[in-house]
Amino acid sequence: MSGIFEVRWHGRGGQGVVTASRILAVAAFNEGFVGVQSIPWIGAERRGAQIEAYNRISRTPILLHSQVYAPDAVIVVDPSIISEDNNAVVRGLKSGGFLVINTARSNIISSLRVPEGCSVYLVDATSICLELDLQVAGLEVLAMPMLGAFAKATSLVSLKSLEESITSSFEAELAKKNVDAVVKAYESTRKAHLMPEQYVPPVPPSKPIRIPEIHHWTDLPPVPVSTPSKGSIGNTGDWRTRKPVIDKEKCNKCLFCWMYCPEATINIDDSGFPQIDYNYCKGCEVCFNECPRKAISMVVEEK
Amino acid sequence: MLPGNSACQGCGSTLALRWVLKALGKKTVIVNPASCGCVYVGLYPRTAVSVPYIQMAFAAGPAAASGMVGGLEAQGKKDVTVICWAGDGGTADIGVSSLSGSAERNTNYIYFCYDNEAYMNTGTQRSGSTPAGAWTTTTPLGKKESKKDMALIMAAHRVPYVATSCSSYPADLYGKTKKAKLIQGMRYIHILTPCPPGWRFDTGLAVKIGRLAVQSGMWLLYEVENGVFRLSPPSRKILENPEKRVPVKEYIRAQGRFRGMSENEITLLQEMIDSKLEKVAELDGKPLFF
Ligand SMILES: Cc1ncc(C[n+]2csc(CCOP(=O)(O)OP(=O)(O)O)c2C)c(N)n1
Ligand code: SF4
Ligand SMILES: [Mg+2]
């Protein structure tokens, strides 16, 4: 490798993206790279919100300190992000680069469009986390297995360096779980074979927004007024890994679930039963815990 | 409150706002200084609330609300409720002078502080409202100072109505908001709203944690109406039936943010709560100030 290798992570708040990016930087340093960076993206870091993080890895010290605009590798921690907007994920990705995706579904693959010469690698990080019970505060730490997949795809860092980096960051038991997840992912990562028409010219990196110059109040833009809408941030149902299912046999229509739903996503149907709008249910499990009749169960989501 | 907003899973603050808006109805205008609220109501061009909503500079919530009240009065509109929806940082720290000014003028609006006990929008920094012992990114060893009691500070302004509530008690919050709506002048409602990422607990426990706060006596539900202090039923229950009182340890140990608290510190906290409850029992139904 010559020059700077740049990485962009796409995930959602709470999936461990920032932590994994830091672990990658330390692992690369252990591997002998002198210039390493881990950069969190500054924005709303609320759980579930789309976030990015970046890495730079180089044989020589790095003097550049910006976000990454033209990555050599893109890691997609949450598959719903790429199904929502393919171009947002591959924007700026160099031809000949790497795209590493967490997915269990092969239908995501057929709709992919990637810059010419890119290699696409797949791993089912969600199942690995579920299997190893790798969770923090009820959310699967999907970004951790992605480190293993990245190592397999790029051969830039070894499993050994990743392991050292992980054990220096977590307590013994948690470290072991994380290492297991990384190893499992490394072993199960496979290369995807795309059709020729799926290779497209590179998507240009996003340009910085230009703010118009204002000399007089008439130059000001009109006051922005938003429209009330469901899904103001998108289909938040995509954030779920488990979905609540109501058993109508057990439900006695007390509507506690409706009352306590922080998302206002439980409605009452014509016969008085609670009804969950899965487009927006984020899977917080409050209804599951509050149902006095235990009529709600959490079912692992097929993604 | 519309679904599909950008709040975290299990956010107590959106649960509270949902019930506040149900109680206030459509003719409501919200002013919201910088906080999680500004983010979870959505980004232009879409919003998750179906009433007019103004995002305001961090320190200026009450000032903006005062301006709205003045503007509506000048237009002769009497049936619109103006509220300020602010976080605990916006209330107890940076917004406190503007808030105090509006209380002193008895401006005709309702101020809601949703209290997640830290600056959550920016990733959990301590606020004046963070309780002693809690971890935040700026108190890595646990906060040394105790929580600022904003509800009592507001009661000392002698405004007509002050109440505390909690997002885990929607009926309590709904009732108090309905009542506040009928009162003229400055009204202040302080709502404890558990925050899963900031308090470090599983999202599904969001309602349970708030309930433990009240059942342990760590958080009291009460009203101060025209200066008279009155406990609300959930808090009166634990006073009248000490066997229903939950040891505060259960509340503390259910959250990661208190992980650094020793058994000794928890025993001390329990003693403080016990003596607080004794004093509160004497005050119930009586004027709070001379
Ligand atoms: C003057 C100023 N300083 C700092 C900020 C950055 N900021 C935005 S929201 C926020 C935290 C708000 O905390 P709080 O009022 O408790 O509401 P929460 O986010 O916890 O809901 C901060 C520090 C700002 N917007 N304006
Ligand atoms: S950080 Fe806490 S208060 Fe803010 S949106 Fe998330 S859960 Fe709600
Ligand atoms: Mg706060």
Side-chain angles (χ1 to χ4, degrees):
Chain A
M1 189 193 92
S2 65
I4 304 177
F5 190 93
E6 295 183 309
V7 183
R8 186 172 66 220
W9 295 74
H10 290 269
R12 296 189 189 275
Q15 292 174 337
V17 174
V18 173
T19 310
S21 138
R22 215 170 47 224
I23 285 179
L24 177 58
V26 174
F29 186 78
N30 294 344
E31 195 72 40
F33 291 96
V34 181
V36 295
Q37 290 182 349
S38 159
I39 308 163
W41 169 80
I42 301 296
E45 283 170 53
R46 199 148 294 80
R47 284 188 185 174
Q50 276 198 32
I51 57 161
E52 294 179 7
Y54 316 94
N55 284 109
R56 282 197 184 89
I57 299 172
S58 165
R59 292 273 173 221
T60 49
I62 304 171
L63 298 176
L64 185 64
H65 289 275
S66 67
Q67 287 188 5
V68 165
Y69 296 98
D72 299 272
V74 168
I75 305 175
V76 185
V77 175
D78 189 312
S80 65
I81 294 174
I82 201 162
S83 18
E84 257 170 44
D85 188 350
N86 185 92
N87 280 358
V89 173
V90 301
R91 93 190 117 80
L93 178 60
K94 289 183 189 140
S95 48
F98 301 89
L99 182 61
V100 190
I101 311 174
N102 164 27
T103 180
R105 278 197 313 196
S106 41
N107 58 357
I108 280 193
I109 316 307
S110 53
S111 57
L112 278 181
R113 294 289 177 276
V114 303
E116 293 126 349
C118 278
S119 0
V120 179
Y121 287 83
L122 310 174
V123 67
D124 186 359
T126 310
S127 299
I128 294 175
C129 287
L130 287 171
E131 197 181 312
L132 296 171
D133 193 29
L134 186 58
Q135 284 194 351
V136 168
L139 291 183
E140 278 71 33
V141 195
L142 301 175
M144 291 310 291
M146 297 312 284
L147 287 167
F150 174 82
K152 176 77 157 282
T154 62
S155 310
L156 213 58
V157 288
S158 62
L159 276 179
K160 187 171 156 283
S161 308
L162 281 171
E163 186 174 339
E164 279 170 17
S165 170
I166 291 170
T167 40
S168 67
S169 306
F170 300 113
E171 291 159 33
E173 203 179 314
L174 190 59
K176 183 174 179 307
K177 233 192 230 187
N178 279 294
V179 171
D180 286 352
V182 169
V183 172
K184 254 196 157 77
Y186 185 89
E187 284 163 0
S188 59
T189 299
R190 57 189 205 286
K191 194 167 175 184
H193 296 283
L194 305 192
M195 295 291 151
E197 67 272 18
Q198 289 183 267
Y199 294 100
V200 294
V203 180
S206 51
K207 290 202 186 69
I209 302 167
R210 289 232 171 280
I211 298 170
E213 281 184 35
I214 292 168
H215 301 290
H216 185 252
W217 71 269
T218 50
D219 297 335
L220 287 170
V223 174
V225 177
S226 297
T227 318
S229 7
K230 282 188 178 183
S232 46
I233 204 76
N235 281 358
T236 47
D238 291 344
W239 300 9
R240 273 193 318 259
T241 45
R242 288 186 190 77
K243 80 175 188 189
V245 176
I246 301 174
D247 179 351
K248 286 198 180 174
E249 300 279 299
K250 288 192 192 157
C251 170
N252 67 348
K253 306 182 186 173
C254 73
L255 299 181
F256 275 24
C257 54
W258 165 82
M259 178 168 87
Y260 286 126
C261 176
E263 193 59 29
T265 198
I266 302 186
N267 304 306
I268 305 167
D269 73 7
D270 293 339
S271 48
F273 277 114
Q275 195 178 32
I276 299 171
D277 185 343
Y278 291 116
N279 284 329
Y280 306 115
C281 166
K282 294 170 183 162
C284 72
E285 306 197 4
V286 163
C287 56
F288 165 71
N289 281 312
E290 295 305 322
C291 174
R293 310 257 307 185
K294 296 259 162 285
I296 301 180
S297 47
M298 298 302 300
V299 179
V300 174
E301 191 84 36
E302 295 278 325
K303 275 209 183 165
Chain B
M1 215 42 216
L2 297 168
N5 57 56
S6 61
C8 309
Q9 285 123 313
C11 174
S13 170
T14 47
L15 175 56
L17 183 56
R18 209 189 129 203
W19 283 94
V20 162
L21 289 178
K22 272 193 204 298
L24 293 176
K26 286 219 161 72
K27 293 227 156 183
T28 304
V29 183
I30 309 179
V31 176
N32 180 208
S35 58
C36 283
C38 282
V39 179
Y40 63 58
V41 297
L43 292 175
Y44 181 75
R46 294 188 284 184
T47 166
V49 286
S50 30
V51 294
Y53 184 104
I54 294 155
Q55 301 195 334
M56 198 24 72
F58 207 4
S66 301
M68 301 280 299
V69 170
L72 289 164
E73 261 167 27
Q75 294 180 45
K77 292 189 181 160
K78 295 213 161 71
D79 56 347
V80 179
T81 311
V82 176
I83 73 165
C84 185
W85 181 257
D88 53 295
T91 302
D93 300 338
I94 192 169
V96 75
S97 89
S98 178
L99 170 62
S100 173
S102 70
E104 185 261 335
R105 297 188 301 271
N106 199 22
T107 302
N108 188 25
Y109 78 121
I110 316 179
Y111 189 102
F112 290 90
C113 169
Y114 70 89
D115 187 0
N116 49 23
E117 303 195 317
Y119 292 74
M120 294 310 181
N121 188 43
T122 40
T124 322
Q125 294 81 27
R126 106 200 247 293
S127 80
S129 199
T130 303
W135 163 93
T136 64
T137 53
T138 45
T139 53
L141 301 177
K143 190 182 166 192
K144 299 266 181 301
E145 304 78 10
S146 41
K147 183 179 171 79
K148 195 189 274 191
D149 197 330
M150 275 314 292
L152 286 186
I153 290 171
M154 293 315 292
H157 283 72
R158 314 291 209 264
V159 295
Y161 187 72
V162 170
T164 61
S165 189
C166 171
S167 54
S168 303
Y169 293 80
D172 178 83
L173 177 57
Y174 182 84
K176 285 170 178 165
T177 307
K178 277 264 182 214
K179 186 170 185 176
K181 189 182 170 185
L182 299 174
I183 297 170
Q184 291 285 312
M186 204 271 176
R187 293 139 283 169
Y188 179 86
I189 301 185
H190 195 107
I191 316 164
L192 185 73
T193 58
C195 163
W199 295 14
R200 309 267 141 170
F201 60 80
D202 286 0
T203 58
L205 301 178
V207 168
K208 188 167 174 233
I209 297 282
R211 209 181 283 132
L212 284 176
V214 172
Q215 289 172 341
S216 62
M218 180 87 178
W219 184 246
L220 285 179
L221 303 187
Y222 61 83
E223 294 173 288
V224 185
E225 209 178 336
N226 297 319
V228 178
F229 177 87
R230 200 167 283 112
L231 276 172
S232 308
S235 285
R236 176 159 315 121
K237 195 161 105 187
I238 61 155
L239 264 191
E240 288 173 354
N241 313 296
E243 75 282 0
K244 294 231 163 82
R245 213 180 283 171
V246 174
V248 74
K249 191 172 168 182
E250 272 184 45
Y251 174 68
I252 296 294
R253 288 294 182 232
Q255 302 168 58
R257 64 171 170 158
F258 292 118
R259 202 166 333 166
M261 269 179 92
S262 66
E263 291 294 314
N264 228 346
E265 284 167 323
I266 297 179
T267 314
L268 278 175
L269 177 63
Q270 184 66 57
E271 282 166 13
M272 273 164 62
I273 290 178
D274 292 344
S275 83
K276 172 176 85 179
L277 290 179
E278 259 174 52
K279 287 183 197 133
V280 161
E282 287 169 23
L283 268 177
D284 196 14
K286 301 210 181 82
L288 198 53
F289 299 110
F290 44 85

